[in-house]
Structures are given as structure tokens and as C-alpha cells.
Amino acid sequence: MAMLDIEYVRGQFPAFDEPSLKGQAFFENAGGSYTCRPVIERLTRFYHARKVQPYAPYEASRLGGAEMDEARARLAGLLGVGEDELSFGPSTTANTYVLARAFAGFMEKGEAIIVTNQDHEANSGPWRRLAEEGFEIREWKMNPETGHLDPDDLDDLLDEKVRLVCFPHCSNVVGEENPVVEITARAHAAGAFVCVDGVSYAPHGFCNVGMMGPDIYLFSAYKTYGPHQGIMVMRRELARQLPNQAHYFNAESLTKKFTPAGPDHAQIAACAGMADYIDALAEHHGIAGDAASRCDGVHQLMRDHEAALLQPLLDGVKGRNAVRLLGPDQAERRAPTVALALSHMKGEAAAEQLAARGIMAGGGDFYAVRALEALGIDPGHGVLRLSFVHYTSRDEVDALLNALDDIL
């Protein structure tokens, strides 16, 4: 397998040529990535030439609808699922609230949903609120020292009452990659459906959701080099069972029944630019095959590059006085989303000090209040979060390490 051509990659992102961003290294990618050139070009074209109601017979409308359909078809191909199994929404949080309403109309009172305390609130809060309506909520707790979610602990929670298991592919503060295939198999064996929050993992490579097996997989395009859209995969067998959440006449359309609001035509069309980008990386690096195979190859390129940069960062922060590294200290076990609890300063204060040194990072609770509390960290004190993706360079990581030496 070839190594990632970082110069080619960075050439696909206009942000790296932006004068106002020169001299700054971006380490808050977990909050939202830079946008790749194909997405920007498609969005610009849509607003210039397609900004009409789509799917009418006149040319601008026909082309607009075709571009929206292209986005769905090509992303579904990358993810290894059917076109009717992928839908768009305004955000992952909004998509999850709609899903919660659907399950509330599908489940019987007294049946149970399992959630974790490792999640971003988006894949926890909407489900927990169903307790107010007579559904049982069971919490799969992570290890309070390490943040690890043990699948054996899940087995103790599963029984015939559980209809749904919700967990993150990886936490946005712990960073450890959870074994989706194994957890899904355990839940399915107990008769439960599975909802995976992939928001924090998807920036590091689109997964073959069809092969992994979860019934629902959610992520956010604005964190995967695209526009501000939530993307939801729901396997058609489940989608057909859940009650319609959209206009009554859309009940038979699997791509519409869980998106009650009118779609953002331009942003959906622009999502095809993410597929353009993956295909361009595949071609540049000599990766062939069908869409899912090309995507798998690009995914591996991204992860290999990230792991090579991540281990020096982990080695540089673990074991420091007054610094607690959340999650594993081995790059192969986690995403490059590194949260540090600092005993001598708040996370936001540390981010401010890094900003003065040309490092763009974040501090706070990152909507992971339950996770921080479970780890014994005051959410008001927060953590410093350092997150990067495949377009990050070794020079930028070196600059980060030098800046950390100054402030820690």
C-alpha cells in the first residue's frame, strides 16, 4: 500500500492557501473539518446555476435534482449500503431526535434502550428523554479510570426487553475505537437493533457500514470535508418497520420518512463532492475496485498516516505532571482526537495559550458532559482537545508539540 501523498491531499483544500490561515495549525478538526475543493465547487455551482426547486422538467431544475440524487447514490456506494438506506438531515442531533420519536411510536411501554455514558449528548440525550414516556433506559457504563467500554458489561444489560443499543464508534473525548462489529453481533443475538454514532470516527475514513452490520449509522458531513448536513444510514428492514415521521404521503419513501423538514437542496447536492474527493485520492494513489473497495483503500491510507503522526503526540503528553490523557496511549487503538485534563488550568485557558502560538485547538466539555463526569472531571473545568485528520502534516504536529512544551 502506498503512503498518503500529503502534498496532494493538502492541495485539495483551499484553506491551506487562505492568507488569513497562514502560519496556523488546525487541531480542532473534531469540531468540524476544512471543506474539500470539490464540495465547494459543487456548492458554488448549485447556487449559481441550480438554485430552483429541483425535479421539475426544466433544465436547471432537472440538473439540480440529478445532483442531489448523485450525492445519495455515490455516498451509499462508498458506505456499502443501498441508495434507499441513506438519507440527509440538518444535523446528526436532529436526525437522532427524529429517530427517537420513531422508536417511541414503535416500542411498547416498559421495553428498554441501552445508552452509554461515553457518548456525545446527541446519541444519548434524545434516547434518555424517552424514560419520561414509560420506556426503560439502561446505561452501559465505561471504566471510570480508562474510559473503556467493555462489551462484556453490555452482556449483563441485554435481555428480551431491550429493543435498541446505542453507542459511539468512538467517543469525541475518549477517542478509543469501539468494536462495532462485535458489539453489533452481541446486540443482534439478543434481539436488539443497533444505532452507532459515527460522528467522531467518520472523519478518519468512511466505513463499509453494510459489512459492519449496524441497523443505524450516523455521521456529520461538515466533519467529513463536506457541508453542514447530517447523514443517516438505516437498513431498509428497520426503516420499513418504524413509523413515518414525515408528511403522510412520504410514508412509503425510505429516504424521506425520517426527514420531516424540507431538505437543503444545495448542501445535499454538494455532498457528492465528498465522493469526488475520495475517488480522486483513490485514483492518485492507484487504488482500484468498486466504490466501497476504493473507499476502504483510502480509509486505510488515512488511518496509517494519522497513526504515524498520533503516536508521537501521545508519547509527548502521557506521563506529564498535571496532565491526564483520556483514552488509550497507543495510536492503533484510537482516533487522533486527544483530550487532556489539566490540573493546573481549564481547557479553554490552555486553548487560548495555544492560539497565541499559532495552534488552533479547543477547550471545554464538547457536549460530552456525561463522559467527563463519569471520568471524574468537572465539565466546567473541561479538557483541552487536540484533534487532527489525514491532511495534518508532520510539521504541524511538531509545532503543536513545541507549543505544548511551552504551556504544560
Side-chain angles (χ1 to χ4, degrees), residues 283-306:
E283 181 177 3
H284 181 79
H285 292 89
I287 300 170
D290 61 16
S293 298
R294 296 194 304 273
C295 190
D296 286 344
V298 170
H299 182 179
Q300 192 61 54
L301 275 178
M302 290 177 171
R303 295 295 280 136
D304 288 347
H305 175 79
E306 291 173 350

Side-chain angles (χ1 to χ4, degrees), residues 10 13-25 34 358 360 396:
R10 289 167 75 91
F13 290 86
F16 292 113
D17 295 321
E18 170 57 39
S20 67
L21 296 174
K22 288 293 184 182
Q24 301 176 77
Y34 285 152
M360 296 183 281
E396 288 173 328

Side-chain angles (χ1 to χ4, degrees), residues 8-60:
Y8 176 81
V9 165
R10 289 167 75 91
Q12 309 308 304
F13 290 86
F16 292 113
D17 295 321
E18 170 57 39
S20 67
L21 296 174
K22 288 293 184 182
Q24 301 176 77
F26 186 36
F27 283 94
E28 181 47 334
N29 290 273
S33 66
Y34 285 152
T35 308
C36 64
R37 190 182 309 279
V39 167
I40 296 171
E41 290 175 347
R42 282 179 176 267
L43 190 62
T44 301
R45 181 176 67 189
F46 199 97
Y47 277 118
H48 276 260
R50 318 273 193 256
K51 193 62 179 70
V52 295
Q53 188 70 11
Y55 301 110
Y58 52 93
E59 191 68 353

Side-chain angles (χ1 to χ4, degrees), residues 164-299:
L164 180 67
V165 177
C166 306
F167 67 94
H169 197 155
C170 73
S171 160
N172 68 329
V173 290
V174 175
E176 182 175 7
E177 182 179 351
N178 292 316
V180 172
V181 174
E182 176 189 350
I183 296 169
T184 297
R186 293 186 186 217
H188 282 173
F193 295 108
V194 171
C195 176
V196 176
D197 177 357
V199 171
S200 293
Y201 187 86
H204 312 293
F206 294 136
C207 294
N208 191 320
V209 178
M211 293 291 288
M212 290 195 306
D215 304 284
I216 302 168
Y217 192 90
L218 306 160
F219 66 96
S220 299
Y222 73 96
K223 298 184 180 184
T224 59
Y225 323 110
H228 203 292
Q229 285 286 284
I231 297 177
M232 175 170 61
V233 170
M234 187 188 302
R235 305 315 301 267
R236 66 176 63 91
E237 293 79 7
L238 172 59
R240 287 171 177 156
Q241 294 181 61
L242 293 177
N244 177 40
Q245 300 300 303
H247 299 308
Y248 73 93
F249 43 79
N250 286 330
E252 300 307 312
S253 172
L254 300 188
T255 63
K256 294 179 180 179
K257 68 184 291 187
F258 305 108
T259 52
D264 189 317
H265 306 143
Q267 291 195 54
I268 291 173
C271 281
M274 297 189 296
D276 292 338
Y277 175 57
I278 298 299
D279 284 346
L281 288 183
E283 181 177 3
H284 181 79
H285 292 89
I287 300 170
D290 61 16
S293 298
R294 296 194 304 273
C295 190
D296 286 344
V298 170
H299 182 179

